[in-house]
């Protein structure tokens, strides 16, 4: 199956990033959100991002114009009928995703593949809510999408080989490096990453080292571009805590117990960069 047009639901950070990656690679995009203001904001973000690439001489003005011309914006799901693949990139909320997916499932043709950009919700569970569980898959892009090479392609229990192969080929066409993952809480990257962040909070709580030295140790010793505590501040301490709580509930294994210090900081409203204060002050 050849994918020439991709529908994207959500024009926020992830949605507009996916739209940019598709458009730059020569794929037509229909980007849908609830209001014209939301889609225009998403389009403006893409335009600004492409301007930065022009400054760095990665693309030309003509490349930018061509990419923007491939992005159609809309507030109607009916416009998704032109797509062979629809990617849902709405907020990480199960009920919201369920509502969107049911609507889309009823509008697009039966052979259209539907993907979710979820970072934590069960693909098997989302697929079961549609009439095309074999044509449902996870496509977890990483932020910022235009820069990050990784895409986790998550197979639900019902996902067919043909669906997987078509989506993998599409990810490669975007210049991405996809990895195939079975459905499980946190998939691969976040399953390893968030407990590592949680462990850094235990190290901090035990007073083994300062936040600066913990982060320096992981940057210099493990070649990580950013230390785990600074990363937690960037992601949001509330998000890290929520993910750990999901792992504990889903796996029932005490190794996923959130660090009490992390819980305490979230209770204090110190959520990281977005509140101006987390492990560090901003």
């Amino acid at each position: 199956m050849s994918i020439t047009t991709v529908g994207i639901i959500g024009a926020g950070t992830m949605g507009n990033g996916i739209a940019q990656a598709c458009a730059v690679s020569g794929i037509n995009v229909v980007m849908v959100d609830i209001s014209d203001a939301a889609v225009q904001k998403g389009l403006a973000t893409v335009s600004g991002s492409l301007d930065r690439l022009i400054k760095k001489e990665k693309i030309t003005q003509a490349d930018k114009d061509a990419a923007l011309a491939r992005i159609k914006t809309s507030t109607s799901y009916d416009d998704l009928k032109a797509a062979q693949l629809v990617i849902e990139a709405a907020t990480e909320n199960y009920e919201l995703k369920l509502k969107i997916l049911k609507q889309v499932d009823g509008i697009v043709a039966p052979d259209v593949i539907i993907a979710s950009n979820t970072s934590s919700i069960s693909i098997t569970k989302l697929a079961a809510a549609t009439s095309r569980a074999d044509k449902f898959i996870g496509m977890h892009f990483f932020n910022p999408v235009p820069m990050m090479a990784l895409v986790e392609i998550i197979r639900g229990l019902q996902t067919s080989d043909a669906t997987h192969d078509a989506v993998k080929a599409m990810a490669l066409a975007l210049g991405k490096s996809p990895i195939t993952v079975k459905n499980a809480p946190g998939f691969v990257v976040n399953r390893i990453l968030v407990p590592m962040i949680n462990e850094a909070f235990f190290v901090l709580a035990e007073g083994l080292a300062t936040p600066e030295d913990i982060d320096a140790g992981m940057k210099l010793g493990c070649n990580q571009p950013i230390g785990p505590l600074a990363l937690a501040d960037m992601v949001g301490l509330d998000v890290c805590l929520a993910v750990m709580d999901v792992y504990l509930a889903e796996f029932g294994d005490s190794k996923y117990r959130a660090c009490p210090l992390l819980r305490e900081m979230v209770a204090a409203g110190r959520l990281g960069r977005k509140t101006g204060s987390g492990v560090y002050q901003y």
Side-chain angles (χ1 to χ4, degrees):
M1 178 189 188
S2 156
I3 295 168
T4 55
T5 301
V6 172
I8 298 169
I9 300 164
T13 306
M14 296 306 289
N16 68 56
I18 298 166
Q20 178 179 326
C22 291
V24 166
S25 304
I27 294 167
N28 294 318
V29 174
V30 180
M31 185 167 65
V32 179
D33 211 319
I34 49 171
S35 70
D36 197 49
V39 285
Q40 290 310 319
K41 189 180 171 192
L43 198 60
T45 303
V46 173
S47 180
S49 177
L50 294 172
D51 282 339
R52 287 192 291 279
L53 292 175
I54 292 172
K55 264 191 189 154
K56 291 177 185 169
E57 299 185 351
K58 298 269 178 78
I59 64 168
T60 64
Q61 182 64 45
D63 293 332
K64 177 192 169 177
D65 295 342
L68 287 178
R70 290 188 193 105
I71 303 175
K72 177 185 176 181
T73 59
S74 172
T75 54
S76 168
Y77 285 178
D78 281 340
D79 288 327
L80 296 170
K81 286 179 182 173
Q84 294 85 41
L85 166 69
V86 175
I87 303 170
E88 168 275 309
T91 311
E92 199 68 353
N93 175 308
Y94 176 67
E95 298 303 330
L96 175 67
K97 286 187 187 291
L98 212 58
K99 187 179 157 207
I100 289 169
L101 293 170
K102 283 182 171 170
Q103 270 182 277
V104 173
D105 186 44
I107 289 170
V108 299
D111 61 339
V112 172
I113 296 170
I114 301 179
S116 175
N117 177 56
T118 180
S119 58
S120 66
I121 298 168
S122 166
I123 296 301
T124 298
K125 199 170 165 186
L126 290 173
T130 72
S131 64
R132 64 188 81 208
D134 61 320
K135 293 186 182 66
F136 192 91
I137 199 162
M139 265 191 110
H140 180 212
F141 289 84
F142 287 74
N143 190 21
V145 178
M147 312 298 295
M148 299 289 275
L150 181 66
V151 180
E152 284 182 318
I153 297 177
I154 304 113
R155 300 187 67 146
L157 195 62
Q158 318 90 316
T159 307
S160 71
D161 289 343
T163 298
H164 167 267
D165 296 348
V167 168
K168 184 177 179 180
M170 146 84 184
L172 290 168
L174 297 184
K176 300 300 184 193
S177 303
I179 61 169
T180 299
V181 182
K182 282 183 186 169
N183 185 60
F187 313 132
V188 165
V189 176
N190 287 339
R191 166 86 174 267
I192 297 166
L193 179 68
V194 182
M196 182 197 74
I197 289 172
N198 190 54
E199 198 61 32
F201 274 92
F202 274 114
V203 170
L204 180 63
E206 288 164 26
L208 299 185
T210 64
E212 291 81 2
D213 282 354
I214 293 166
D215 279 351
M218 292 305 289
K219 281 162 72 177
L220 300 171
C222 298
N223 212 16
Q224 294 182 352
I226 182 172
L229 297 172
L231 181 59
D233 276 353
M234 200 162 93
V235 170
L237 270 56
D238 52 336
V239 175
C240 296
L241 176 60
V243 171
M244 288 306 295
D245 284 345
V246 165
Y247 293 171
L248 186 63
E250 296 278 338
F251 292 114
D253 188 331
S254 64
K255 74 178 180 183
Y256 296 112
R257 180 176 73 94
C259 176
L261 175 62
L262 173 61
R263 202 175 289 285
E264 188 78 351
M265 287 173 78
V266 170
R270 287 173 56 183
L271 308 182
R273 289 191 187 190
K274 61 187 169 190
T275 58
S277 161
V279 176
Y280 300 99
Q281 297 295 319
Y282 298 92

